[in-house]
Amino acid sequence: MSSSIKSQVILIKNHVYVEEKQADSINIKLDSILILSVGPSTTRIVLNDLNDYLSKKLSKKKIFTSYAYLGRNITDAKKEFKLLNTDGYKAILLFLPKDSAFFEVTHSYSNRDREPVVWTRTENLYYEQAFDFRFYKAGQNPEKFWNALVEIDGDPSDNFATKKIGNKLISLFTKHKYIQ
């Protein structure tokens, strides 16, 4: 009797929710944006991917972007922000976690009733996080002109959230004439 093991990944849920909370008009052309993020390792991976996606999309619109990770928590982020040179940027886009990330990998095994015996290992990957995305006019006293609640549920290794959130942000920023 022989046996084999097959592995598969099952996605528990893929959900992205974006709700604008504030969308004020601005009287400047955004041709440069500093993108900043805060959060633990898993959150950082998701936000790095989102930054990469947004930077490519904005570059096509002739908008220069730069990215900085400010640390695991708000205390670290405030210290790092004070060290940043924000001169030359028209706006700052901040990705700020609202709660602790939930990340889980679960394993289960099953045996199919056939010859040869086949064991199947299933891994369930799940990431859940809520964010406050904020857009500020850059300067001595940054002024918030836009913000939204963003929720992500799903597999962090899949870029479903990156594309969906990135496209939604570009759409909203174009709608409000922050970008063209």
Side-chain angles (χ1 to χ4, degrees):
M1 189 181 302
S2 84
S3 70
S4 64
I5 297 178
K6 292 185 178 182
S7 183
Q8 66 185 25
V9 176
I10 293 178
L11 189 60
I12 295 176
K13 188 177 180 185
N14 270 344
H15 172 74
V16 171
Y17 174 76
V18 178
E19 178 187 353
E20 283 189 301
K21 297 290 189 177
Q22 174 186 357
D24 299 337
S25 61
I26 57 173
N27 58 356
I28 57 175
K29 181 184 178 204
L30 296 182
D31 57 8
S32 57
I33 300 171
L34 176 59
I35 301 172
L36 305 174
S37 71
V38 178
S41 300
T42 306
T43 300
R44 184 177 182 182
I45 291 167
V46 171
L47 295 177
N48 284 349
D49 289 347
L50 178 58
N51 167 66
D52 290 345
Y53 187 80
L54 278 176
S55 293
K56 287 176 188 168
K57 291 288 193 180
L58 293 171
S59 175
K60 291 178 183 176
K61 296 181 173 286
K62 305 285 189 239
I63 298 171
F64 172 77
T65 62
S66 194
Y67 174 71
Y69 168 71
L70 298 178
R72 294 179 52 80
N73 56 51
I74 285 293
T75 304
D76 294 344
K78 286 179 180 178
K79 290 176 190 172
E80 289 297 316
F81 183 76
K82 288 179 183 178
L83 302 174
L84 283 178
N85 180 1
T86 60
D87 293 344
Y89 294 98
K90 298 276 179 81
I92 298 168
L93 180 57
L94 176 63
F95 304 142
L96 187 64
K98 288 183 65 77
D99 57 10
S100 298
F102 174 79
F103 181 67
E104 179 178 41
V105 178
T106 59
H107 306 280
S108 62
Y109 297 90
S110 62
N111 179 9
R112 298 184 185 170
D113 294 323
R114 322 184 191 156
E115 289 295 327
V117 175
V118 176
W119 287 93
T120 302
R121 176 182 173 188
T122 302
E123 294 180 0
N124 298 314
L125 303 175
Y126 187 74
Y127 169 77
E128 182 180 308
Q129 181 79 58
F131 296 92
D132 188 15
F133 283 12
R134 301 176 183 178
F135 220 165
Y136 294 87
K137 287 183 188 176
Q140 290 290 63
N141 297 312
E143 178 185 332
K144 183 172 63 168
F145 61 89
W146 181 89
N147 90 296
L149 168 68
V150 177
E151 295 174 350
I152 302 170
D153 299 317
D155 181 350
S157 66
D158 183 359
N159 64 4
F160 82 94
T162 299
K163 288 181 181 176
K164 195 165 185 181
I165 293 170
N167 289 335
K168 181 69 173 177
L169 293 179
I170 296 293
S171 173
L172 290 170
F173 297 163
T174 302
K175 173 185 158 188
H176 297 304
K177 299 182 181 161
Y178 302 151
I179 62 174
Q180 296 179 354

